[in-house]
Amino acid sequence: MTAREAAQPAPDMAEAPCRWAVVGGGMLGLTLALRLHQAGQRVTVFEAAPSFGGLASAWRVGDVVWDRYYHVIMQTDARLRSLLTELGLERDIRWEVTRTNFYTGRSMHPLNNVFDYLRLPTLGPLDKARLAATILYASRIEDGRPLEKLSAAAWLTRLSGEATYRNLWQPLLRSKLGSNESKASAAYIWSVIRRFYGARQGGMQKEMFGYVPGGYGRILEALLQRLEAAGVTLQVNAPVTSVGPVPGGLTVKTGEGVQRFDRVVNTCAAPIALQACEGLSADERARHAAIKYQGIVCASLLLTRPLGGAYLTYITDESIPFTTVIEMTSLVDRALTGGKHLVYLPRYLPADDPLLDVADDEIEARFLPALMRMFPDLKRDEITAFKVTRTRHVLALSTLDYSDRLPPMATALPGLFIVNSAQIVNASLSVNETVNLANEAAAMLLSQPAVAGAAAR
Ligand SMILES: Cc1cc2nc3c(=O)[nH]c(=O)nc-3n(C[C@H](O)[C@H](O)[C@H](O)COP(=O)(O)OP(=O)(O)OC[C@H]3O[C@@H](n4cnc5c(N)ncnc54)[C@H](O)[C@@H]3O)c2cc1C
């Protein structure tokens, strides 16, 4: 079934389009809006920020406009590629072979093929063989849900051995999850391995990533143009402060006033959705509140020279305050960034980590000396821009029995749905999975019976 077919209206809705409010104008809210519109519904999107796109939005660093957070497309991203085909952008994707490094023990190691793995320090020959076998085994598991029964630590130790867990997996998990490391289920690490292994052509051979020239800014522009042309109402600077019941429908309150809708879909992260949504049962509230989120602090840098040429450098050295180095222009053509080298320094952390509240100057003071330790020939005057962004609720962490404890999308308040990226199970967070969730959720939303007393329009 195609996404368009999935979004066809249920028979009882065919003659009476509903008025839908979509709260949140990230890729999820916008794709949902498109699917609801394609099914003949009347849709308004409310976005709190001054522009659409959320985590995928673009911003300006120095004189370069590119994604606020780094994004790549994988060849296996079928749902996203299908949306890009609808938007006329799929054929523009540029695919490039990229390189990966590993920074451990205060030194840099390439990690691109079997021979690089064999040369990795800190692991013995048997450990390396078990590590390779772990990755291969994990990448072949199709359904990761049974792995929600096991902790990541127990699973990885069993497969790779104590030494490899201690020397490689645990530092990697810590760098990604901070104090949430011990709470991650095996399904979390499985989904990450599976996604990144999918970027490798021919097993351990070459890593291949793609991007659309113009980045997600261009993708969003095309999506917004499509929605506007279709008559979808798009409101920015419109944080929704409450959604509540009225006879036969729901009200949505923003700073501009109160509007009435037949149905509302809130696509914001659970803590934000909880604040705004009235009428949820105590059980639903408890389920949303129990979801553990990872946040992120991420610096974008412009350089006058390349760093090391690897798209990804994983870091397990705890003296480095960021998690990874992403050299975007080792993938993206520098003609698109005015000849500048664009680098991201992300730090993932639990949503309650105090670093999320640290001032930008202080982040710069901590990050730059560490970057220069990693790349000793990098000079301060070769860094021409440094800009920090942060988001508290990015990734809902797969913890033990995660999918059993998820709240349902249809809430106790008739006509109100909470559909957010926490509902992505059996996969890791990506725009591809976000589009897939939007497609599937639209089909579910459209099959719901009408709210009693809702007037046909
Ligand atoms: C560092 C990083 C790197 C990534 N890399 C990749 C990658 O390489 N490839 C890939 O496919 N994916 C990647 N992703 C994931 C991708 O960005 C997400 O899957 C996707 O953007 C999530 O979209 P969303 O709409 O679910 O959430 P969001 O983008 O968070 O959208 C939620 C929206 O709701 C709005 N909102 C919040 N409160 C309110 C309110 N009260 N009223 C109205 N609106 C509100 C927010 O402003 C936001 O726009 C990455 C993410 C990050 C953070």
Side-chain angles (χ1 to χ4, degrees):
M1 187 165 58
T2 66
R4 269 168 195 266
E5 284 161 358
Q8 289 309 302
D12 66 327
M13 280 189 166
E15 287 160 22
C18 285
R19 279 170 37 115
W20 289 81
V22 175
V23 182
M27 283 304 294
L28 179 57
L30 295 176
T31 311
L32 254 175
L34 180 68
R35 299 299 174 229
L36 292 171
H37 155 73
Q38 286 167 339
Q41 306 299 298
R42 294 165 59 187
V43 188
T44 299
V45 184
F46 294 96
E47 166 55 47
S51 59
F52 287 98
L55 298 173
S57 59
W59 72 343
R60 180 180 290 276
V61 183
D63 50 2
V64 172
V65 175
W66 201 262
D67 304 357
R68 187 160 68 104
Y69 295 110
Y70 48 94
H71 283 79
V72 291
I73 301 170
M74 304 226 176
Q75 298 215 313
T76 46
D77 285 347
R79 302 287 187 266
L80 169 60
R81 292 177 70 179
S82 171
L83 176 67
L84 294 179
T85 301
E86 280 182 60
L87 299 175
L89 292 176
E90 208 276 342
R91 280 195 302 186
D92 289 3
I93 300 176
R94 293 191 194 167
W95 298 103
E96 301 288 345
V97 172
T98 55
R99 292 196 284 120
T100 297
N101 278 345
F102 192 59
Y103 186 79
T104 184
R106 306 215 160 190
S107 57
M108 197 72 81
H109 307 274
L111 202 63
N112 296 301
N113 53 42
V114 177
F115 302 108
D116 289 343
Y117 272 92
L118 293 177
R119 277 193 289 265
L120 261 187
T122 70
L123 296 182
L126 183 63
D127 299 332
K128 285 169 187 165
R130 286 183 77 176
L131 173 63
T134 303
I135 294 173
L136 194 64
Y137 170 70
S139 70
R140 295 202 170 154
I141 297 174
E142 295 275 331
D143 185 357
R145 275 168 292 195
L147 294 174
E148 291 175 3
K149 297 275 169 219
L150 285 172
S151 72
W155 190 61
L156 291 170
T157 306
R158 197 174 75 200
L159 292 176
S160 297
E162 280 275 342
T164 306
Y165 180 73
R166 212 178 34 251
N167 293 323
L168 187 125
W169 289 119
Q170 190 175 36
L172 271 179
L173 281 173
R174 262 200 207 131
S175 78
K176 277 267 180 200
L177 303 177
S179 59
N180 276 341
E181 166 232 331
S182 57
K183 302 180 184 97
S185 77
Y188 163 75
I189 192 71
W190 161 79
S191 69
V192 175
I193 295 173
R194 193 167 154 82
R195 177 160 173 82
F196 278 86
Y197 195 82
R200 288 191 176 260
Q201 292 210 319
M204 297 298 233
Q205 301 302 305
K206 289 198 164 87
E207 185 175 72
M208 181 89 120
F209 290 131
Y211 67 97
V212 171
Y216 263 88
R218 177 145 166 248
I219 296 173
L220 284 160
E221 198 179 280
L223 183 51
L224 289 164
Q225 270 172 14
R226 178 66 55 92
L227 291 169
E228 250 167 33
V232 171
T233 306
L234 297 167
Q235 295 193 13
V236 286
N237 293 314
V240 170
T241 51
S242 85
V243 178
V246 284
L250 296 160
T251 52
V252 169
K253 190 172 172 194
T254 65
E256 298 292 302
V258 177
Q259 293 181 50
R260 190 190 172 287
F261 292 90
D262 300 317
R263 289 157 192 238
V264 178
V265 197
N266 195 318
T267 68
C268 302
I272 301 170
L274 269 185
Q275 270 173 20
C277 295
E278 297 170 20
L280 304 183
S281 69
D283 178 60
E284 274 171 330
R285 288 198 161 271
R287 283 172 184 262
H288 283 288
I291 298 171
K292 296 231 164 304
Y293 275 88
Q294 286 295 114
I296 189 170
V297 172
C298 184
S300 293
L301 286 72
L302 289 185
L303 272 57
T304 55
R305 50 153 277 187
L307 259 189
Y311 173 72
L312 272 167
T313 300
Y314 294 112
I315 300 167
T316 57
D317 185 325
E318 290 190 2
S319 73
I320 304 293
F322 37 86
T323 324
T324 325
V325 176
I326 313 281
E327 191 167 352
M328 201 70 211
T329 34
S330 71
L331 167 70
V332 170
D333 183 351
R334 268 188 304 124
L336 299 167
T337 56
K340 300 277 171 49
H341 298 262
L342 174 62
V343 171
Y344 296 87
L345 304 179
R347 164 109 216 165
Y348 289 91
L349 23 75
D352 57 359
D353 194 294
L355 192 71
L356 278 156
D357 299 312
V358 166
D360 293 2
D361 291 357
E362 178 58 28
I363 299 287
E364 183 171 341
R366 294 186 197 181
F367 279 25
L368 284 190
L371 185 68
M372 285 152 131
R373 271 206 312 281
M374 288 180 70
F375 299 91
D377 55 344
L378 176 68
K379 299 191 180 54
R380 181 63 188 83
D381 63 3
E382 292 170 330
I383 303 166
T384 59
F386 186 101
K387 198 170 167 186
V388 179
T389 185
R390 62 198 80 212
T391 304
R392 195 169 292 280
H393 303 111
V394 172
L395 168 82
L397 181 64
S398 172
T399 46
L400 291 179
D401 296 322
Y402 181 78
S403 13
D404 292 344
R405 292 188 287 110
L406 268 181
M409 295 188 210
T411 72
L413 182 60
L416 171 64
F417 304 88
I418 299 179
V419 179
N420 57 27
S421 61
Q423 303 283 350
I424 295 173
V425 291
N426 211 20
S428 71
L429 180 72
S430 68
V431 178
N432 186 61
E433 293 305 328
T434 300
V435 170
N436 189 39
L437 174 64
N439 293 344
E440 290 185 358
M444 181 281 287
L445 296 173
L446 292 161
S447 69
Q448 298 294 305
V451 179
R457 263 158 258 272

